[in-house]
Amino acid sequence: MGIIQSLVDFILGLGPSTMLPIILTIFGLILGQGLAKSFRAGVTVGVGFVGVNLVIGLLTSSLGKAAEALVTSLGLNFDIIDVGWPIGAAITFATPIAALLIPIIFILNMILLYFNITKTMDVDLWNYWHLIFPGAMVYYATNSLILAIVLTLINATIIFKLADWTAPAVEHHFGLPGISLPHGETVNFAPIMYALNKVEDKIPGINKINLDGEKLKEKIGIFGEPLILGIILGVLLGILGRYTVTDILSLGIQMGAVMVLMPKMVALLMEGLTPISEGAKDFISKRFPGKDVYIGLDAAVVIGNPSNMTVALLMVPITIFLSVILPYNRMLPFADLAVLPFTVIWAVAASRGDIFRGLINSIITLCMVFFMATNLGPLTTQMGHAVGFEFPAGATMISGIDMSCHITLWIILKLIDYKNTPMFIAGIVALVAYAGMWYWTRNDIKKQYENETE
């Protein structure tokens, strides 16, 4: 275990911008792309990730501070504190089973690929914490290592299959061919969001509204451009947070910069991924006719979509408002307000970028998140105490928006709590509903893009 832990710490310590070029260069060589082409592709991807992370850092620091100022200005107080995904990741990696689960999940992924059970090869090792988190929660809920490992494998398999299923949307809606997003806390919502979109297609009035970025630009001219929209939304958030005039204007420019720079950084990332993706397709088609392989990446590569960012920024004040009016909520939204662009990805993508529907779907998403955050708060807190996390002053319990997006985890926890009859029944109902929505919408993504060429 000590050797495994040291190896894991070394790889995670290098970070994606350093390790991915090495992984992709080796992968390119295996695919027969040659050293020069493989190395250039790998390094370009590394540089792209540096750029993406720089923009995300700008988003997190500027939007996070604005959201915190808004919460403070409203004087909100709850007994569960949203400590944010970095704390969630740190707690998860500090659990005693984390070092064991990383190689187990990786081996599972390779086995599933070999037997054609999944098409996703998840190279996003730094976000494995999303796949480990459910196992860690099960471990502290049951004190059973075996059960935690088994349910981690089941959950990871579901996430890989969801990534496969949503890959056509990643290609055609987000413009990233050959890529899938095995991001547990985001892709969990895809079946529900596509089911909602299907229902909305049948609602008179709503089914006539189509307000994507291009149509918005046509209707309101320059004010519909991503740059100007970012500035306007940033200014509004600054005003709501009671910023000074200088800080309001600064936040506006920063949000405008995020809207413009993120797509450019993703384009650089894709410049490196394209030859690797094409090489993988050629390699697989020659040796395994009819088989496809997707490269599984961090959902960060798609959050810069203009419609996604527009809905995410609008959701900041709406999320805070929801936290106040939802009668069952006990979590104060705080640190993870800056990661709403991740939370709403499939709410917006299911409607193909329709901002109106995306906003409705995002509100429903956050209502579910607040319920799971409140319901799982005691267990998340137990895990935090167990690893020695130092709680913020005044915090009775901890949770987070990101940590509370794992729908499959919530279902698993309720199903194994068979002694608690109401929760066990709730788990069965949720499982049937979730599986039903996935089955009901299983062909919808292909239908949406069946007339579009690659």
Side-chain angles (χ1 to χ4, degrees), residues 5 87-99 132 136 140 383 386-389:
Q5 184 68 59
I87 299 299
I91 290 174
T92 301
F93 281 130
T95 59
I97 66 170
I132 298 168
Y140 283 102
M383 192 163 74
V387 301
F389 171 67

Side-chain angles (χ1 to χ4, degrees), residues 298-414:
D298 187 340
V301 299
V302 302
I303 66 168
N305 176 272
S307 294
N308 187 76
M309 285 300 303
T310 299
V311 171
L313 292 176
L314 289 171
M315 281 301 298
V316 173
I318 293 174
T319 298
I320 295 171
F321 178 69
L322 287 174
S323 73
V324 175
I325 66 169
L326 291 175
Y328 53 77
N329 177 56
R330 293 167 57 190
M331 183 181 76
L332 174 69
F334 200 67
D336 266 348
L337 285 167
V339 300
L340 285 175
F342 290 84
T343 311
V344 304
I345 287 171
W346 292 106
V348 182
S351 64
R352 300 196 65 176
D354 186 318
I355 294 171
F356 178 74
R357 285 195 194 186
L359 203 56
I360 293 175
N361 297 344
S362 296
I363 290 171
I364 294 172
T365 295
L366 266 298
C367 288
M368 296 172 63
V369 167
F370 279 122
F371 171 78
M372 289 186 286
T374 299
N375 188 254
L376 299 182
L379 183 57
T380 310
T381 303
Q382 178 187 341
M383 192 163 74
H385 280 304
V387 301
F389 171 67
E390 186 174 341
F391 280 47
T396 304
M397 289 189 284
I398 61 169
S399 190
I401 291 174
D402 187 283
M403 288 185 281
S404 304
C405 287
H406 296 263
I407 298 171
T408 51
L409 165 62
W410 188 88
I411 294 173
I412 286 170
L413 287 171
K414 300 309 146 186

Side-chain angles (χ1 to χ4, degrees), residues 19 72 89 121 158 169 191 215 321 361 395 409:
M19 197 64 193
T72 302
M121 183 179 70
I158 293 170
K215 285 189 171 61
F321 178 69
N361 297 344
L409 165 62

Side-chain angles (χ1 to χ4, degrees), residues 75 88 93 110 170 181 211 224 228 259 261 281 355 366 372 381 388 392 396 406 424 442 452:
F93 281 130
M110 296 303 104
V170 177
L181 308 176
L211 193 63
I228 306 303
M259 297 285 275
L261 293 175
K281 287 183 179 179
I355 294 171
L366 266 298
M372 289 186 286
T381 303
T396 304
H406 296 263
F424 180 67
R442 68 193 184 284
E452 297 184 17

Side-chain angles (χ1 to χ4, degrees), residues 138 421 426:
V138 170
T421 303

Side-chain angles (χ1 to χ4, degrees), residues 103-121:
I104 287 176
I105 293 170
F106 180 80
I107 292 169
L108 169 72
N109 191 192
M110 296 303 104
I111 293 173
L112 295 178
L113 276 168
Y114 181 81
F115 288 104
N116 297 320
I117 298 173
T118 185
K119 299 177 181 179
T120 293
M121 183 179 70

